[in-house]
Amino acid sequence: MRAAERQALLADVRENSLDDGPGIRTTVFVKGCGLRCAWCHNPEAREARPELQLRPERCLGCGACRRACPRGERRAEPGPGCRACGACALACPAAARRVVGAPLEVEALAERLLLDAPFFRRSGGGVTLSGGEPGLVPRPLGRLAARLRAQGVHVLLETAGHFPWAPFAEHLLPHLDAIFFDLKLADPREHLRLIGVGPELILANLDRLLAAGAPALAVRTPLVPGLTDGEANLRGLAGLLRARGLTRLRLVPYNPLVREKRRALGLAGDELPAGFQAPAELDRCRAIVRAEGLALEDERELECLP
Amino acid sequence: MSASPRARAWEAGLALAEAWLKLGLMAATLRLHPRLRGELAAPAPGYRARLQLVLGDGRRGVHAIFSGGRMRVGLGPLAGADTTLRFRAPVDLRAFFGPRGDALSLMLENRLAVEGNLSHLLRFGHLAAAARQGGRVLPPAPDAGDPRARRPWQEFPVRRVGEPCRARPAAEVRALEDPYLADLSLAELPRVHRLLWAARTTPPAVCVERARLWTEASARERAERPGEPAGLRQARVLAHVLTHKRAIVHADDLLAGTTTAQRLGVQIFPETGGLGIWPELLGVQARALNPYRLSAEDAAVLSRQVFPFWMDDNIREWARRQNGDPLALRLDERFVLYFLWKTQAVSHTIIDLPAALSRGLVDLQAELAARAEADPGRRDFHRGLSLALDGVLDYARRLSAEAAARAATSADPDERARCQAMAEACARVPARPARTLREALQAAWILLVCQHQENMNAGLSIGRLDVWLEPYLRRDLEGASDPAERQRRVRAALELVCAFLLKCTDHLPLVPEAGNRLFGGSSSDQVITLGGLLPDGGDAVCDATWLFLKATELLGLRDPNINARYAPGVNSEAYLQRLCEVNLITGATPSMHNDAAVVPALVGQGFRLEHARDWSATGCVEPTCCGRHFGHTNCMMFNLVAPLEMALHQGRHPLLAEQVGPRTPAPQALPDFAAFLEAYRTQLGWLIDRAVEANNLLGRAHQACKPSPLLSALFLGPRESGRDVIDGGAEYNSSGTAMIGLTDVVDSLCAIRVLVYERRELGFPELLAALAADFVGHERVLARLLTGAPKFGQTQPLPGELAAALMAFVQERFRAQPHYRGGRYLPGYWSMSNHVAFGLLSGALPSGRRRGKPFTPGLTPSQLAGAGLTEQIRAVAGLPSGCMPNNLAFNVKVAPGAQDPHARVVERLAAYTGAYFELGGMQMQLNVMSSAALREALLDPDSHRDLIVRISGYNAYFVDLNRDCQLELIERAEHALGGR
C-alpha cells in the first residue's frame, strides 16, 4: 500500500494540552515513525500497528490478564510476540491494560476536537498533529486538517521530517497553519547511530518546506543530556540553520517522564537521565546557540514564527 | 460485635454506674463550690428541668432533676423528661462524660440522639464543664493568635499588585485615567495598611452587648406589653439595642460605627442559635480551632442572665413546641440529611440600599407615616418600621457626637480632620440623602451595623455597590481638573472603599465546635457583586467596578465575598481579563457569573426581566433581585446522597441505623435501572418534602417570634403591602436551597446502570457487601466502579443526561411545595463546606468514593473522573441552568507554573472562563494555587495566614479550616496553567 493511502492509527488524543504550540490545544498523536531515537518521548507511537500498553499503578495483581491471554499464562506481557489482540485488556477489571492504535476515523475525531473550539479561539490555540510521524499519514490527516480549518481551527504539525515528500506536499501541507520541525543531531554518523537513519531525507524535506514558502515554520531541538546537548552538536545544528538562512532555534528542555512511559511499554529507558535539566545546564545550551548568532525562543510561543 | 449478651449487659451497667457517679459528683460540686452557687439559682425562680440519659432502647438510664437551686441525680429513666439523651452504645455515654465530651459533636456522629428541648442539653453541657473546671474559664493557649499582632504594622505583608494597563476597557471607564490603578499599592496607603493589619491580627472576642440588651428589652416587653403584635415588639426591642449600644470610633477609622463593642466581635443571637455556644462558654478561649476571647464576667452574663431566658423561646424550640416535636425537625437534628438555616438566621438577602442612600431615612419615615394614616388597619405595622428607623437615627446621632468628641480632644490635626469629617457625615446620613462617596459609604455602613443587631449576619449581602456608588464617585472626581488634585481624590476614594471593606470584617458569626466541623472557616459571607447588566440591559461596569477590583486585590480578604457578573457581548473583554488577574493575585476571589445564564434562569422563575438583570449574589453565589426579593437563598443545605444510601437500604440510612424514609424494595428486587432510579426518586422526593415541611415550620416560628421591622423598612414591598418580609411583604418571595452531592449521586447511578443492569458484571449483593466493607477485600469491585462506568465530567452522554433529569425532578418537586410566605422553592447546587461534612457522615458509594471522604464541592466533576479542564468545563456548562435558579458552584483549581509570565496566565484564565460562559456555563470559581502550596500551608500555618481559598461559594483563610476541609482542597484535581 502506498504510504499516502495508509490508514492512520491513533496513539492518543490529549485535550487541554499546553505544551504543543500556542494557546489551549488538543494534540492528536498518530502511530508510526521511521526514526528510532534512543530517547524517544512517545515510544507508544513508534510502531504503525496496535500495541498493548500497561498502567502498572492500576494493577490489582488479580491475574485475569494471564488467564485471558490466548498465548498462555506466562506470556501475557507486551513486547515481542504480543499481537495486541486485547483479550487481556478486556479481562482486566482495573483498566490497567489497553490496546493503543485504534483506526483514526476522520469525521468522528473532527467532531470531538471541535468540542473545544471555544477554548482554541479564545486562547489562540488549536489542534496539533503529532506522533509518531504525522507526515507518514498525510491523506487522513490532511482531510482532518481541512475539516478543522474550515471551522476556523488553527492546525499545527509537529514533525521530525522523515517522510516521503510528494504525498505530504499534496495532501497535508496545504491544510497546515504552522509546523514545528525537529532537528536533533548535526553529525550524520551520530544521526545514524542514535536515530537509526541518516539525516538526508530530513534535511531535504526541510529545504523543500522552506522552498515551498508557507506555512509558518519553527525549528526545534529536543535537549537530551549527554546525547543532543553537547557543544559540538548545538554548534553543528546552528550551522545547518544558518546555511538555510534561518535565524532562530527553539530548545526543548529534557523531560524525564519519558522513563515512565518507556517502562509502561516494556522498553528499556533507565539509561536516560532521571531528572530535569538544571537551569545552569539550560543556560549553557542557550549560550552556545546565541554565540552561534541564532535567536532563541520560548518553545511554547508562536510569535517567533518566520 | 463479638461480645456475649452478658458481657454487653455488664458493660452497659458499668457505663451507667459511672455516669451516675459523675452526675452525683457534678451535683455536689454545683452545690458546694463557692463560684458555682449562683448557676442554678439565677435568674429567679431558678433552673427547673428533668433530664434523662438513656441507652439504646431506653429501658436503662440515669437522670438528673434540677429545681430549687439544686441538682438531684438518680438511676433509671425518668417519666415526663423535658429532654432525653439517647446514646447509641455504652461507649458513647462514656464519651459524653469524657474530657472532650462535646454533645453536638456526638450528635453529629449520630452517637447521641436528643428528644425534646435541646436547650437543656446545652445548659447541662455548660453545667458539667463548670463543675469540672470549678467555674473557671480556660485561658487562651499561650501561642494562640496571630504572631503578627506583636510585630509593627509596617511588617504586615503587602500583596503584589497587577501589572499596568494592557487593554483599556473602552467606554466602561470614564473618570479613572488608569483603571488598573497600577501605581497604588498598600505602601502608598499607610492608613489602609494599618487598618488591614489591625483587622487581620485582632483575636476575635465574644461580644455580649447585643445579647444582653436584646434580652433585657425582650423581658421588659414580655412583662409590660404581653399582647403587643410581634412586629411592633421586635421594633421596640431593636430600638432599645440601637439606642443603648455603644457608639465607637476606632483609631484610623474613616467610617464611624462598629457592629459590636469588641474590635473583632463575635455576635450572640440567643433567640436563634446563640445557645449553641453554652456548653463551650468556659472553654471557647482555649479551643484549638477558631478560639474566641471571653471573660469570666461576660460568660456569667450569658449563662445566668441571657441564655436562661431563651431556653423555651428560641426559634427551634418554639417550632418544636407548637408542632409537637415533628419528625421533619427531628431529622434536621440528625445532621446527615439536611441542615436548616432558619434555626440560625433569615438574613440571606439584600436590602434596597439605593433608596436609603438617595432618599434618606427621614423621607422613608414620612412615607410610613402617610401610609399609616391612609390605612389605620396596618398602623401598628408602619409604626414598628418607623420605630426601628428611629433606632438607626439615634445610633447615627450618637456616632456623630462621639466622632465630634474625638475631634475636639485630639492633638493630631490629621485625626481631628478625619473625626470632624465623620461627625459631619453621621450628622447628615442616613437621615438625609448622601451627597458624596464618603456619605454614601457611611450611610451604608450604619445601615449594615443596625441590621446586624436585628438578624445574625449569615450572608446578609450588600449588593451592587459599584453601580450604586458610581454617581457619588463621579461627582467626587468631577470637580477636579488639576491632575494632582484628581489623583488625590482617586486615592481618597480607594482609601474609603478599602476602609468600608475592612469595616465589614469587624464581626464574626458564632460558630460552636460542631460548626467548625460543618462550616469550617466561614465568616459572614457578605457578597458584593460587581459588573454585569444594568436593569435596562446596558453595561454596568463602571469606574467604581475597577475601584472595587483594585481594593479587592490590595486587601485579599476572605469577606466581603466579592462576586463578579460578566455579560458576554456587553461587558468588555478587558474587564473579564481584569477579573481573572485579581483572581490570580488573590488566589481565590472574585467568583465569576455569566449573566447570559443567570438572567434567563431568573426570568424562568417569574422575575421580570429588568428585575432579573438587577441581580446580585447572596451569601455564596445565590441570585437575589436586589431590594425587592426576599429569597432566603440559603434556607437549607440538602444531602442528595442520603436518599441514595436510603434507596440502597430500603429506606434505612446506614449511619442512623433506622428506618428513615419510605420502605422501597430491596435493590436486588428491582428489575431494571428505571425501577432503581424510581426508588431513589421516591426517597429523594420524600426527603425534600420533609425538609420543606421543616423549613415552613421554622418560617412560621419566625413569623410569630421574630419579624424583622428594620429589614422590612429597607425593602421594596413591605411599606406598600403593610406586611413584614417574613410575612411575604416583599415584591418577590422565594426560598433557596443548596443541593449537595449531585456528582456523587450521578456517578453512582451511572455505575449501577452500566455495571449492574447493562453489563451484569456486578450484582447488588456483591456491591452492597463492598460498600459496607468500604471496599476493603473488594478491590476488584472498586476497580470496576472506578474504571468500568462513565463519570460526570468525562466526554460521555450518560452522566450529563442523568444529571439533567435529576435536576428537573428536583425542580419539579420543589415547585409543587407549599411555601410559608407564598413563594417558591428555588434549587441551587453549591455546598459551602457541607460537601465535606455530609461526606464525613456518609458511607462508601457506588461511584467508588470511599467512606467518610468529602463529596465533590458544589457541582464539580469528581477527581475520580480524571477529566481534563476543558472536558470538565464542557460538562458543567452543558447542565440546564434553568434548573438552577439558585445557581451552582463550579470549583476549579488551577496552578500556574513558576515560569509562566503573568500576562499569559491572565489571558489563559480569561480563555477558560470566557469559553465556559460561551458554552452556557453559569458560575465558575477558581482557586489559583497548587496542591503543593496548600500542603506547605498545612505544615506551616503561621507563614500562610493570609492564604485565602474558595470552598464552595465562600472564601476562607486556609489556616482556619478544619483538617477535613484542608485535605479536600489539597485533593481537588489540579490543572496546570502553563506547560510542564
Side-chain angles (χ1 to χ4, degrees), chain A:
Chain A
M1 199 191 294
R2 283 192 20 235
E5 283 153 18
R6 203 158 69 197
Q7 192 183 32
L9 300 181
L10 271 178
D12 198 8
V13 176
R14 201 165 62 208
E15 291 175 357
N16 195 32
S17 167
L18 305 169
D19 281 339
D20 296 302
I24 299 168
R25 310 190 73 82
T26 300
T27 305
V28 176
F29 296 90
V30 294
K31 277 177 75 62
C33 179
L35 307 186
R36 285 297 174 269
C37 304
W39 57 83
C40 177
H41 275 51
N42 295 328
E44 71 281 9
R46 233 154 54 166
E47 302 298 333
R49 56 176 165 77
E51 282 178 286
L52 182 65
Q53 196 175 6
L54 302 189
R55 286 184 260 190
E57 74 286 358
R58 294 187 172 188
C59 178
L60 304 174
C62 68
C65 47
R66 290 200 298 279
R67 288 191 295 280
C69 181
R71 297 192 304 147
E73 294 217 355
R74 287 191 300 175
R75 306 176 62 190
E77 295 306 318
C82 173
R83 287 170 305 147
C85 68
C88 60
L90 206 63
C92 176
R97 294 169 163 248
R98 60 175 176 176
V99 172
V100 175
L104 186 156
E105 307 290 348
V106 169
E107 192 45 43
L109 180 59
E111 265 172 38
R112 176 172 162 194
L113 296 171
L114 286 170
L115 292 176
D116 272 351
F119 299 94
F120 303 155
R121 196 176 59 255
R122 289 178 169 270
S123 67
V127 168
T128 298
L129 307 176
S130 184
E133 176 49 69
L136 290 176
V137 281
R139 189 166 284 188
L141 289 187
R143 279 192 287 133
L144 179 67
R147 172 86 169 74
L148 294 170
R149 287 182 88 206
Q151 300 296 312
V153 173
H154 176 274
V155 179
L156 183 150
L157 178 80
E158 282 184 346
T159 177
H162 195 79
F163 50 75
W165 172 256
F168 169 81
E170 181 185 346
H171 298 294
L172 185 49
L173 183 59
H175 307 298
L176 297 175
D177 291 292
I179 296 176
F180 282 174
F181 195 103
D182 282 9
L183 284 185
K184 297 158 188 188
L185 288 166
D187 179 60
R189 275 163 310 179
E190 283 290 285
H191 206 282
L192 186 60
R193 186 173 74 85
L194 289 168
I195 295 180
V197 298
E200 298 75 17
L201 176 59
I202 297 170
L203 291 172
N205 279 342
L206 178 58
D207 290 334
R208 290 173 186 135
L209 271 175
L210 293 171
L217 181 138
V219 178
R220 306 191 302 179
T221 295
L223 293 176
V224 185
L227 298 177
T228 67
D229 71 340
E231 179 169 358
N233 185 46
L234 292 173
R235 292 179 59 172
L237 289 172
L240 291 174
L241 262 64
R242 273 202 317 270
R244 288 164 174 80
L246 293 166
T247 58
R248 298 160 189 239
L249 176 64
R250 49 178 62 193
L251 297 176
V252 183
Y254 175 70
N255 188 339
L257 289 179
V258 60
R259 288 158 50 101
E260 305 295 319
K261 263 193 182 180
R262 295 178 70 97
R263 216 169 291 144
L265 279 171
L267 296 171
D270 289 347
E271 72 285 359
L272 291 169
F276 287 93
Q277 286 167 295
E281 266 301 285
L282 285 174
D283 286 342
R284 180 187 64 78
C285 298
R286 292 185 183 122
I288 295 168
V289 174
R290 271 197 217 99
E292 286 294 313
L294 292 186
L296 278 167
E297 290 148 354
D298 179 334
E299 87 277 5
R300 294 198 292 267
E301 297 294 344
L302 200 67
E303 53 262 21
C304 54
L305 289 173

Side-chain angles (χ1 to χ4, degrees), chain B residues 134 148 154 179 205 270 346 456 480 570 637 641 758 763 805 814 851 853:
Chain B
R148 298 172 301 182
Q154 290 91 341
V346 290
M456 169 179 163
V570 179
M637 318 211 68
V641 173
E758 283 178 12
F814 273 116
R851 175 190 298 157
K853 292 295 259 180

Side-chain angles (χ1 to χ4, degrees), chain B residues 382-405:
Chain B
H382 291 112
R383 198 149 61 94
L385 267 49
S386 198
L387 262 176
L389 294 178
D390 276 342
V392 179
L393 295 173
D394 183 81
Y395 178 60
R397 269 194 297 276
R398 291 187 299 114
L399 280 177
S400 176
E402 171 66 17

Side-chain angles (χ1 to χ4, degrees), chain B residues 494-506:
Chain B
L494 179 60
E495 219 178 27
L496 274 168
V497 167
C498 288
F500 177 82
L501 295 178
L502 286 163
K503 270 288 172 192
C504 293
T505 70
D506 82 342

